[in-house]
């Protein structure tokens, strides 16, 4: 007797075989069972999928259908909820089921022998906390009135919730309390708490461990993020899957964690672009979290001081069509914890080419002399210096990309941030031989250097010279480097911290009384319609870094240097008025028919030439003209991507837009086959790859 099972294996994204494959098995494993299956010459991990097993030896070709290598016995099957989440994600984001399902599982599962697996499962069974350990007192503070109101709403309403709370208003405390109530009430329930970046997990982990370890044991909590080793990932996954871990803390990948008793999902800093996966299945972990909560009957809380305009729009009053419940905590915790004063410096009245205006420089000096800390940031990573010849206008272009290579002073190299191509800095201009070639534009490195010159005579209260440190992707490449630098800031060994947006996010700096954004203007006039939204949230975040301690918050300031001081974005910022900013932005978006009032997808194509990439897209567009019209979907002509060439590969994209999400989805489902067929045409020759990005964040 044998059974024929349909099994998901890691199939390539666009392969014709994108559904489950058939395998033979002596046992009728049910849906969700993890198995080992042969695929080509390899043995891979697989998941038995939902079609009913076919019994008996007849009815299928035994020579074609291969037998399974084995099952991971003892592991509970993946739940129907998990399988539905995977199915939805695959279909919505237009990827193969196998790819999505297997990317969500720890790769090491496949390598465990049955004996190893049994040992691990037993270990987790032992770890399950006993009810007796549950009476320990906790170290939780009394809730503020705003926190109490919000808690009462979460308790009694269904959500999804958008917790709109100022930085320092006690959102994290609300998450902790919701998790606490859940764990206390239901001895099995699990909670998933997501943060945007790996850097933020240690802080959060510490806060959760302090709160829950005394009562539920240190093993009640596990992390999941891409910085973990495979053995660590496996361990966390097994703990969550077995139910031993009651709390999972993680980055976007954690939205796929197997948590059979999931009852609460928190998405902190829900506006953060890091929740969107930027390769493979380009899912939004925030959106999937909301979907998953509905599938699992869990509550979901999205939290932010500057919500994404999507979530803000969804949380408009129900009478106007809102689907989320908006909860508001406007006040910072602590009696004197005012938000910092926002000061705009009109750069039109400063000397030409000045990087630091005189008033800002004076303000920084004053703080240093008083023994307080300042933070100066450039809002764009890409704002790095390009090498330039003043004689012939040569610039350090990358030969393989349509981008400039960036000058790195430390090792005197020119480095392409897109393809990685690196060369020693030339002594003479490669075009005209001029020896006077120098950087133009300012990266953080030059900013730090420049500031050091300007503050050369400034002294700390102890008479020592000012100490400046820089934190960005370059200074933190080594493991532990960021932690070290942050520790120095916390220990007040640093007076001025210079960096990119990396320093503006989440870190709890206690002694910073001045935050300055030196060049935020570029985002005001970007072709990317989301640039103002990102800038506003970044500046609010940065402002939130100042004055975290009640006794210094009264004299905390946020400085913005701009050529457009009357821009509405800065006016709203000065008032710390996110709703006003959101209102103005949503009006603009509505007039222009942009998200969240409309829905978008991008199809990207890569080829050796721009003609081939665009030709492929335009032909696929032509073949779907009627359908697009029928379904009320607009398909725009192909255009080069903003970085048109990377590593000698030309990139083009095509925008698809609709006022209806359902129509857009229906069109994409139909169009997928058209794109695949187009690839087989002569016009598809030379195409390297293509992919769909649904709800893209950057166009
Ligand atoms: P957010 O997540 O909104 O930035 P946090 O939850 O981190 O805010 O709270 C900010 C600070 O206030 C933290 O140091 C936290 O420990 C403290 N805090 C939060 N809620 C309370 C409370 N009810 N009573 C006293 N301190 C609180
Ligand atoms: Zn030259
Ligand atoms: Zn390059």
């Amino acid at each position: 007797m044998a059974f024929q099972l349909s099994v998901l294996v890691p199939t390539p994204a666009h392969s014709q075989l994108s559904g489950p494959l058939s395998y033979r098995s002596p046992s009728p494993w049910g849906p969700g069972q993890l198995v080992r299956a042969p695929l080509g010459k390899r043995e891979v991990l697989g998941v038995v999928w939902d079609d009913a097993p076919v019994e008996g030896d007849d009815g299928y070709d035994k020579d074609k259908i291969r037998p399974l290598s084995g099952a991971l016995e003892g592991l509970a099957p993946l739940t129907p909820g998990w399988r539905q989440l995977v199915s939805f994600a695959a279909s919505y984001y237009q990827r193969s089921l196998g790819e999505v399902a297997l990317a969500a599982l720890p790769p090491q599962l496949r390598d465990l022998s049955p004996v190893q697996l049994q040992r691990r499962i037993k270990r987790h069974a032992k770890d399950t906390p006993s009810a007796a350990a549950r009476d320990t007192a906790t170290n939780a503070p009394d809730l503020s009135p705003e926190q109490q109101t919000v808690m009462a709403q979460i308790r009694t309403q269904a959500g999804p919730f958008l917790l709109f709370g100022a930085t320092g208003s006690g959102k994290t405390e609300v998450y902790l309390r919701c998790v606490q109530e859940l764990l206390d009430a239901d001895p099995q329930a699990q909670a998933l708490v997501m943060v945007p970046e790996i850097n933020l997990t240690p802080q959060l982990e510490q806060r959760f461990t302090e709160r829950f370890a005394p009562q539920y044991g240190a093993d009640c909590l596990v992390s999941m993020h891409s910085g973990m080793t495979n053995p660590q990932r496996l361990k966390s996954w097994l703990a969550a899957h077995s139910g031993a871990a009651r709390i999972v803390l993680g980055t976007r990948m954690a939205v796929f964690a197997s948590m059979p008793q999931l009852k609460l999902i928190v998405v902190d800093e829900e506006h953060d672009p890091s929740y969107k996966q930027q390769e493979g299945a380009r899912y939004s972990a925030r959106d999937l979290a909301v979907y998953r909560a509905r599938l699992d009957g869990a509550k979901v809380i999205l939290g932010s001081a500057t919500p994404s305009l999507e979530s803000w729009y969804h949380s408009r009053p129900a009478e106007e069509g809102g689907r989320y419940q908006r909860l508001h905590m406007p006040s910072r915790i602590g009696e004197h914890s005012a938000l910092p004063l926002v000061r705009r410096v009109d750069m039109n009245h400063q000397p030409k080419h000045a990087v630091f205006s005189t008033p800002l420089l004076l303000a920084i000096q004053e703080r240093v002399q008083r023994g307080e800390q300042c933070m100066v940031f450039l809002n764009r990573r890409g704002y790095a210096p390009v090498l330039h010849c003043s004689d012939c206008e040569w610039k350090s272009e990358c030969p393989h990309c349509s981008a400039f290579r960036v000058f790195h002073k430390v090792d005197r190299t020119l480095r392409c941030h897109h393809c990685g191509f690196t060369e020693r800095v030339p002594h003479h201009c490669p075009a005209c031989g001029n020896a006077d070639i120098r950087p133009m534009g300012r990266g953080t490195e030059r900013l730090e250097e420049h500031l050091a010159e300007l503050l050369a005579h400034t002294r700390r209260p102890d008479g020592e010279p000012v100490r400046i440190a820089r934190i960005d992707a370059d200074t933190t490449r080594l493991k532990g480097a960021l932690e070290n630098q942050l520790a120095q800031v916390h220990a007040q060994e640093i007076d001025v911290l210079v960096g990119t947006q990396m320093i503006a996010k989440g870190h709890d700096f206690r002694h910073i009384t001045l935050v300055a954004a030196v060049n935020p203007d570029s985002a005001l006039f970007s072709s990317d319609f989301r640039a103002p939204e990102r800038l506003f949230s970044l500046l609010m975040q940065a402002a939130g870094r100042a004055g975290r301690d009640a006794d210094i918050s009264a004299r905390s300031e946020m400085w913005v240097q701009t050529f457009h001081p009357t821009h509405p974005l800065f006016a709203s910022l000065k008032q710390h008025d996110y709703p006003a900013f959101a209102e103005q932005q949503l009006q603009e978006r509505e007039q222009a028919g942009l998200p969240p009032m409309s829905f978008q997808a991008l199809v990207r194509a890569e080829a050796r030439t721009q003609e081939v990439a665009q030709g492929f897209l335009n032909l696929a567009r032509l073949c779907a003209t009627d359908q697009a019209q029928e379904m009320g979907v607009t398909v725009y002509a192909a255009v080069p991507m903003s970085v048109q060439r990377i590593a000698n590969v030309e990139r083009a994209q095509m925008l698809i837009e609709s006022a209806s999400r359902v129509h857009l989805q229906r069109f994409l489902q139909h169009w997928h086959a058209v794109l695949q067929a187009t690839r087989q045409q002569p016009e598809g020759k030379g195409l390297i790859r293509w992919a769909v990005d649904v709800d893209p964040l950057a166009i």
Side-chain angles (χ1 to χ4, degrees):
M1 190 60 122
F3 298 86
Q4 182 188 335
L5 306 179
S6 67
V7 176
L8 280 190
V9 288
T11 41
H14 300 301
S15 87
Q16 301 297 333
L17 312 164
S18 61
L21 302 183
S22 290
Y23 285 93
R24 203 152 20 108
S25 159
S27 326
W29 299 112
Q33 175 64 45
L34 284 153
V35 294
R36 278 181 286 269
L39 183 69
K41 291 201 174 74
R42 296 178 301 150
E43 185 180 284
V44 297
L45 186 67
V47 183
V48 176
W49 216 237
D50 289 61
D51 319 276
V54 179
E55 205 177 309
D57 293 335
D58 319 322
Y60 63 86
D61 187 343
K62 254 185 281 178
D63 298 330
K64 287 219 178 104
I65 296 187
R66 301 170 73 178
L68 285 179
S69 323
L72 279 73
E73 289 181 57
L75 267 192
L78 293 153
T79 60
W82 188 89
R83 301 198 304 273
Q84 265 172 285
L85 177 70
V86 164
S87 296
F88 171 78
S91 132
Y92 188 85
Y93 295 104
Q94 304 261 306
R95 301 296 288 201
S96 81
L97 265 172
E99 182 195 16
V100 176
L102 275 303
L105 297 169
Q108 274 202 334
L109 264 181
R110 187 200 56 183
D111 307 330
L112 283 187
S113 74
V115 178
Q116 285 170 317
L117 187 62
Q118 288 315 317
R119 209 182 300 141
R120 300 228 179 195
I121 293 169
K122 267 206 208 98
R123 202 180 307 156
H124 283 300
K126 252 195 334 246
D127 286 347
T128 315
S130 66
R134 286 148 116 276
D135 295 321
T136 335
T138 59
N139 42 1
D142 292 335
L143 292 181
S144 71
E146 282 177 7
Q147 286 172 326
Q148 282 175 20
T149 309
V150 158
M151 288 293 302
Q153 285 172 291
I154 295 173
R155 244 176 248 131
T156 53
Q157 291 162 11
F161 301 99
L162 175 65
L163 177 51
F164 168 49
T167 28
S169 63
K171 294 186 292 298
T172 312
E173 184 58 43
V174 169
Y175 309 149
L176 284 161
R177 214 54 84 89
C178 289
V179 172
Q180 178 87 53
E181 288 187 2
L182 177 73
L183 300 200
D184 289 351
D186 177 345
Q188 239 103 58
Q190 294 177 296
L192 169 62
V193 181
M194 293 201 284
V195 286
E197 291 197 28
I198 299 178
N199 295 338
L200 301 177
T201 50
Q203 277 184 35
L204 192 73
E205 207 176 306
Q206 192 190 351
R207 250 175 110 174
F208 271 77
T209 307
E210 276 167 15
R211 187 64 61 88
F212 294 105
Q215 196 179 353
Y216 290 100
D219 294 330
C220 74
L221 186 148
V222 296
S223 295
M224 276 189 198
H225 55 73
S226 59
M228 293 164 68
T229 62
N230 279 340
Q232 287 169 331
R233 263 187 82 180
L234 178 64
K235 191 164 176 243
S236 291
W237 188 88
L238 285 172
H241 179 70
S242 70
R246 308 287 305 281
I247 307 168
V248 173
L249 300 179
T251 50
R252 61 174 178 259
M253 68 190 291
V255 77
F256 288 110
S258 168
M259 300 177 71
Q261 299 290 338
L262 183 62
K263 293 289 183 310
L264 173 68
I265 308 179
V266 172
V267 184
D268 192 23
E269 311 287 6
E270 65 88 33
H271 62 278
D272 198 294
S274 314
Y275 281 119
K276 175 89 165 145
Q277 168 80 13
Q278 291 297 359
E279 56 185 36
R282 292 172 165 248
Y283 61 87
S284 155
R286 176 193 66 219
D287 296 349
L288 285 183
V290 174
Y291 188 85
R292 180 171 188 176
R294 204 172 57 202
L295 283 178
D296 288 350
K299 285 199 174 174
V300 59
I301 308 171
L302 313 178
S304 177
T306 52
S308 64
L309 286 174
E310 276 78 6
S311 299
W312 187 253
Y313 184 64
H314 290 323
S315 68
R316 67 197 186 280
E319 310 87 79
E320 294 167 26
R323 299 184 286 115
Y324 296 178
Q325 196 89 37
R326 191 183 295 168
L327 314 172
H328 195 192
M329 299 204 302
S331 323
R332 285 177 124 182
I333 296 282
E335 265 175 70
H336 313 287
S337 272
L339 284 161
L341 179 70
V342 175
R343 312 188 63 148
R344 291 163 288 186
V345 182
D346 186 347
M347 294 303 277
N348 297 297
H349 300 147
Q350 293 296 318
K352 234 180 159 188
H353 304 306
V355 179
F356 290 94
S357 60
T358 315
L360 174 59
L361 202 59
L362 286 173
I364 293 177
Q365 278 170 343
E366 229 173 72
R367 311 268 155 169
V368 172
Q369 284 158 358
R370 281 210 300 261
E372 296 169 8
Q373 292 176 305
C374 303
M375 186 172 104
V376 175
F377 80 97
L378 284 171
N379 73 313
R380 294 188 51 184
R381 253 187 336 229
Y383 207 87
V386 162
L387 217 55
H388 171 235
C389 166
S390 51
D391 270 9
C392 77
E393 295 298 316
W394 171 86
K395 292 190 190 70
S396 53
E397 218 159 328
C398 174
H400 311 296
C401 308
S402 55
F404 293 110
R405 279 176 299 163
V406 165
F407 172 58
H408 286 257
K409 193 171 176 196
V410 228
D411 52 0
R412 297 205 60 80
T413 56
L414 286 176
R415 210 178 295 159
C416 173
H417 286 188
H418 297 283
C419 73
F421 180 63
T422 303
E423 267 182 344
R424 303 270 312 155
V425 168
H427 293 293
H428 303 278
C429 167
C432 74
N434 173 18
D436 184 25
I437 47 175
R438 41 174 102 212
M440 59 182 246
R442 283 188 193 265
T444 41
E445 199 178 318
R446 280 194 81 205
L447 196 72
E448 177 193 9
E449 209 177 81
H450 185 54
L451 194 60
E453 286 163 17
L454 295 172
L455 297 179
H457 303 292
T458 308
R459 293 277 177 273
R460 294 156 50 103
D462 58 10
E464 293 282 311
V466 58
R467 295 179 203 157
I468 305 178
R470 171 167 60 99
I471 295 189
D472 58 23
D474 290 321
T475 66
T476 53
R477 207 168 299 147
L478 293 178
K479 203 171 152 54
L482 179 64
E483 289 73 17
N484 269 337
Q485 286 187 302
L486 292 176
Q488 286 187 328
V489 179
H490 290 302
Q492 288 183 276
E493 285 160 25
I494 305 294
D495 306 304
V496 184
L497 182 61
V498 175
T500 52
Q501 47 193 333
M502 218 167 158
I503 56 174
K505 277 189 197 173
H507 301 291
D508 200 358
F509 299 126
R510 294 264 138 195
H511 308 283
I512 289 182
T513 57
L514 182 149
V515 174
V518 289
N519 67 332
D521 282 351
S522 56
L524 299 177
F525 308 101
S526 166
S527 60
D528 179 353
F529 69 88
R530 284 193 176 85
E533 179 183 352
R534 278 199 302 271
L535 175 64
F536 189 83
S537 112
L538 190 64
L539 293 177
M540 287 281 279
Q541 285 266 334
R545 299 305 108 215
R548 300 281 290 189
D549 260 356
D551 54 329
I552 60 170
S553 68
R555 51 176 197 274
S556 298
E557 292 176 355
M558 160 103 210
W559 287 61
V560 176
Q561 297 191 144
T562 172
F563 287 95
H564 308 276
T566 57
H567 194 284
L569 188 149
F570 295 130
S572 303
L573 181 73
K574 186 158 177 60
Q575 306 296 327
H576 301 280
D577 193 348
Y578 170 82
F581 167 76
E583 186 64 27
Q584 180 258 332
Q585 282 289 308
L586 284 175
Q587 264 171 27
E588 277 184 20
R589 300 262 186 107
E590 177 143 41
Q591 278 158 12
L594 289 169
M597 286 81 178
S598 72
F599 301 89
Q600 297 181 326
L602 276 183
V603 182
R604 300 198 174 89
E606 299 183 2
R608 284 293 163 206
T609 67
Q610 195 50 231
E611 289 69 42
V612 170
Q614 290 191 22
F616 163 77
L617 293 174
N618 283 328
L619 181 61
R621 174 187 187 224
L622 200 65
C623 298
T625 319
D626 293 346
Q627 275 80 8
Q629 210 157 34
E630 232 166 76
M631 298 185 197
V633 170
T634 311
V635 184
Y636 292 89
V639 292
M641 285 178 62
S642 58
V643 180
Q644 177 179 333
R645 188 165 46 104
I646 288 186
N648 290 322
V649 171
E650 290 283 339
R651 299 143 30 103
Q653 67 181 33
M654 182 176 266
L655 178 66
I656 303 125
E657 212 168 58
S658 173
S660 148
R661 196 193 282 275
V662 176
H663 289 177
L664 179 65
Q665 273 292 315
R666 217 174 281 153
F667 175 75
L668 289 175
Q669 301 295 351
H670 160 82
W671 204 34
H672 200 88
V674 175
L675 281 157
Q676 265 177 354
T678 309
R679 180 153 203 188
Q680 309 309 320
Q681 304 289 313
E683 284 84 349
K685 204 162 166 277
L687 190 77
I688 298 170
R689 64 178 79 84
W690 64 274
V692 184
D693 186 351
V694 183
D695 304 330
L697 273 193
I699 321 196

